[in-house]
Amino acid sequence: MKNDYRPVIHFTAEKNWINDPNGTVYINGEYHLFFQHYPHGNEWGPMYWGHAVSADLLHWEHKPIALSPDSLGYIFSGSAVLDKENVSGFGTAEKPPLVVFYTNHDGDTAKEVQSIAYSTDYENFKKYEKNPVVVSESKKDFRDPKVFYNPVRNGYSMALAAGNEIEFYFSANLKDWEKTGTFEAGIHGFGGTCECPDLLCFDSEEGQKWVLLMSMLLPEDKVGKPLCEGGYFMRHVMQYYIGEFDGDTFRDTVRNEVPLLPDFGPDNYAAVSFSNLEEKIIIGWGENWAYAGDTPSTAFRGKMTLARSLDLIKTEQGFRLSAKPCGLERYRVCGEEIKDGYELETSVFGIRAEGKGKIRLYNENGEELSVEIGNESISLDRSRAGRKDFNEKFAKEECEKFTAPLFTKEGCKAEIIFDTAFIEVFAEDGLIAMSASVYPEKPYSRIGADGDIRLRFYRIE
Ligand code: FRU
């Protein structure tokens, strides 16, 4: 059988290219995932919104393409709101419209404006005749609208990536928008070109806190240098800020000395949350722009991470997001204890680990992917995990090993989810998440355990 590296419980397009998740929304028991998609090739191209739905966030049903490029440009990333009160007038109270917000990117001039479309069957969309709805006089990078309910002003706000800033807009009807504020990234945290912002409200043990999550394109001179806790060396990274939202703008009032990372691995970008849901569930693109165009799968290219449920936790080092993978409970109950050398009969599984030591996934070709839990840190090493020849950057040293500092010093509980060509590690109750793609020539056939570490294995289907 040809190993095309297609994962089982991670979303991929039936064919061709995908990048960012878009318009993520929960409606009547179904999670809708729209996504950046080029249906005519396995490389990035004029962007469409693809569409899929899932009941469990692990198995997805493909739907027809939702939005195609038009005279205003390609359809870049954005979000969705189920307009239950029909404030937009695009539906009726009985048939509340799903309103989606996206960036039109002009393929020739690179000009970016924000547009909307709507649907009452949540599958076929009509573009608003008065598009665009938000424009900028001066900003070139001006994209990825994330619209959310604004409880302070009882309307809707939009967080928009605008150069090095996140701009906020307000609307009562989802169609007419006025600018209300600006947050500059990089005064604390990483600076650079912002992409795909999301603003989330948490009830923490110190009351309500808002978290501004975003993806960043770092300036060239930062690349390849250790940048924060654990070090991080890639050009594209996600980060988050913690603070307050007064209804007009966000302020990062809860500061940290170093930038905060929702994922310490290289392959999680542009993650955003599902709207119309109390629980904060995000899903990201499980790739990195550094090499996403060259990965050695052919029929499809690009996958999503697992969906993760977020919480805001107070640690000794201050507030941190925790992330837990969704939908795995029913597989975990069938877990069994395993020993060093355990023979694998599947390439989709979870491992729960406790203690200190190294967990290795390996095959007879001598390929090995490892996760090491030490005294101070946890690290993921893909230096010998499989193919690296497909892209120069992927083969570089800074793309091989990823480390995160442990928050608690007394032992560590971690969970590894492996699916064909993608590993996700969650440690210390989700305070640490790490995602990485690997391309073994042959599936890993055994699990190794070195050190004082106990493992429980479970299959996922
Ligand atoms: C992030 C991103 C977005 C943009 C989209 C284009 O990965 O660059 O900012 O909308 O991808 O496909």
Side-chain angles (χ1 to χ4, degrees):
M1 193 188 81
K2 192 170 167 313
N3 185 357
D4 200 28
Y5 302 115
R6 194 191 277 278
V8 176
I9 54 161
H10 289 79
F11 177 77
T12 54
E14 265 177 312
K15 278 207 300 198
N16 293 324
W17 170 273
I18 67 164
N19 56 287
D20 314 357
N22 297 149
T24 40
V25 58
Y26 178 78
I27 309 174
N28 299 332
E30 272 188 335
Y31 295 90
H32 289 253
L33 169 68
F34 299 88
F35 49 90
Q36 289 288 276
H37 184 37
Y38 183 52
H40 307 299
N42 64 3
E43 67 282 329
W44 191 87
M47 284 287 109
Y48 293 63
W49 272 27
H51 184 199
V53 294
S54 171
D56 65 0
L57 293 166
L58 298 173
H59 304 94
W60 295 91
E61 180 194 330
H62 296 284
K63 293 277 182 186
I65 283 178
L67 297 170
S68 305
D70 54 41
S71 61
L72 288 171
Y74 307 163
I75 314 294
F76 269 21
S77 289
S79 56
V81 164
L82 182 66
D83 178 15
K84 287 187 208 148
E85 270 140 40
N86 192 30
V87 294
S88 63
F90 289 143
T92 58
E94 297 72 48
K95 273 193 156 190
L98 180 63
V99 186
V100 298
F101 308 83
Y102 57 91
T103 300
N104 269 129
H105 174 96
D106 187 309
D108 298 322
T109 63
K111 188 174 169 53
E112 299 185 326
V113 296
Q114 319 317 317
S115 294
I116 56 188
Y118 53 93
S119 169
T120 48
D121 64 4
Y122 314 144
E123 199 166 313
N124 298 287
F125 286 83
K126 201 168 161 12
K127 288 172 181 155
Y128 181 42
E129 68 274 12
K130 292 195 186 141
N131 280 337
V133 294
V134 180
V135 298
S136 167
E137 294 308 320
S138 56
K139 294 212 161 145
K140 185 178 143 292
D141 293 299
F142 189 67
R143 58 180 176 267
D144 308 340
K146 174 71 184 179
V147 177
F148 55 97
Y149 177 69
N150 178 333
V152 187
R153 292 181 60 176
N154 188 26
Y156 291 91
S157 279
M158 175 191 288
L160 192 62
N164 289 4
E165 299 169 334
I166 304 297
E167 293 185 351
F168 291 93
Y169 292 77
F170 179 80
S171 174
N173 64 7
L174 294 165
K175 297 184 288 200
D176 304 307
W177 295 90
E178 46 143 343
K179 190 171 164 191
T180 56
T182 304
F183 172 76
E184 189 176 343
I187 296 181
H188 312 98
F190 295 128
T193 306
C194 300
E195 298 187 310
C196 304
D198 196 351
L199 191 67
L200 299 158
C201 182
F202 291 89
D203 284 320
S204 80
E205 63 182 77
E206 285 178 13
Q208 216 173 59
K209 300 256 178 281
W210 291 80
V211 169
L212 180 61
L213 186 67
M214 66 179 86
S215 297
M216 297 296 299
L217 177 61
L218 298 176
E220 240 359 309
D221 64 345
K222 290 250 169 28
V223 182
K225 310 213 172 94
L227 295 175
C228 56
E229 287 175 327
Y232 188 87
F233 306 91
M234 316 272 297
R235 182 138 198 239
H236 285 88
V237 60
M238 289 194 67
Q239 66 171 330
Y240 62 95
Y241 291 89
I242 306 169
E244 287 160 17
F245 177 65
D246 62 7
D248 289 335
T249 199
F250 170 83
R251 282 181 201 86
D252 59 333
T253 47
V254 183
R255 301 225 169 106
N256 199 55
E257 275 170 27
V258 290
L260 296 171
L261 268 53
D263 196 305
F264 288 84
D267 295 307
N268 184 358
Y269 196 70
V272 284
S273 63
F274 284 85
S275 68
N276 196 32
L277 202 60
E278 269 300 300
E279 196 180 350
K280 274 75 186 174
I281 296 183
I282 59 164
I283 188 165
W285 179 43
E287 306 285 339
N288 195 298
W289 279 114
Y291 42 75
D294 296 326
T295 54
S297 63
T298 47
F300 73 98
R301 187 168 276 143
K303 61 194 164 298
M304 298 302 173
T305 65
L306 286 180
R308 301 169 183 187
S309 178
L310 297 185
D311 223 332
L312 191 66
I313 309 283
K314 191 157 188 205
T315 71
E316 274 173 30
Q317 287 89 329
F319 280 102
R320 291 288 189 282
L321 280 181
S322 81
K324 294 187 178 144
C326 300
L328 297 173
E329 299 75 16
R330 67 194 173 105
Y331 301 107
R332 280 193 197 112
V333 291
C334 304
E336 54 170 319
E337 208 152 302
I338 59 164
K339 296 260 175 306
D340 180 44
Y342 178 79
E343 196 169 335
L344 276 167
E345 283 164 8
T346 171
S347 50
V348 196
F349 54 87
I351 304 170
R352 305 189 97 181
E354 200 172 343
K356 304 246 163 77
K358 201 184 229 184
I359 305 143
R360 296 179 293 116
L361 310 183
Y362 58 96
N363 63 23
E364 51 278 28
N365 282 19
E367 294 173 321
E368 177 176 301
L369 166 65
S370 65
V371 174
E372 185 163 13
I373 307 171
N375 286 327
E376 306 279 323
S377 63
I378 177 163
S379 58
L380 185 156
D381 185 344
R382 66 173 178 184
S383 58
R384 295 192 293 127
R387 288 188 58 182
K388 301 200 282 189
D389 57 343
F390 56 87
N391 177 287
E392 235 173 67
K393 288 186 185 142
F394 189 90
K396 277 198 173 163
E397 206 183 321
E398 59 250 32
C399 264
E400 294 186 329
K401 197 166 171 179
F402 296 84
T403 302
L406 292 178
F407 286 88
T408 53
K409 302 289 174 238
E410 65 282 346
C412 177
K413 283 191 191 165
E415 181 164 21
I416 291 171
I417 318 296
F418 187 79
D419 181 5
T420 320
F422 198 52
I423 182 169
E424 284 162 284
V425 181
F426 299 92
E428 296 196 302
D429 262 338
L431 290 171
I432 294 163
M434 287 179 142
S435 314
S437 299
V438 288
Y439 300 97
E441 295 272 9
K442 273 190 157 185
Y444 300 125
S445 52
R446 283 184 192 273
I447 299 176
D450 311 338
D452 181 18
I453 196 158
R454 290 163 302 288
L455 306 184
R456 271 188 87 77
F457 175 90
Y458 61 94
R459 286 177 86 97
I460 309 173
E461 273 148 2

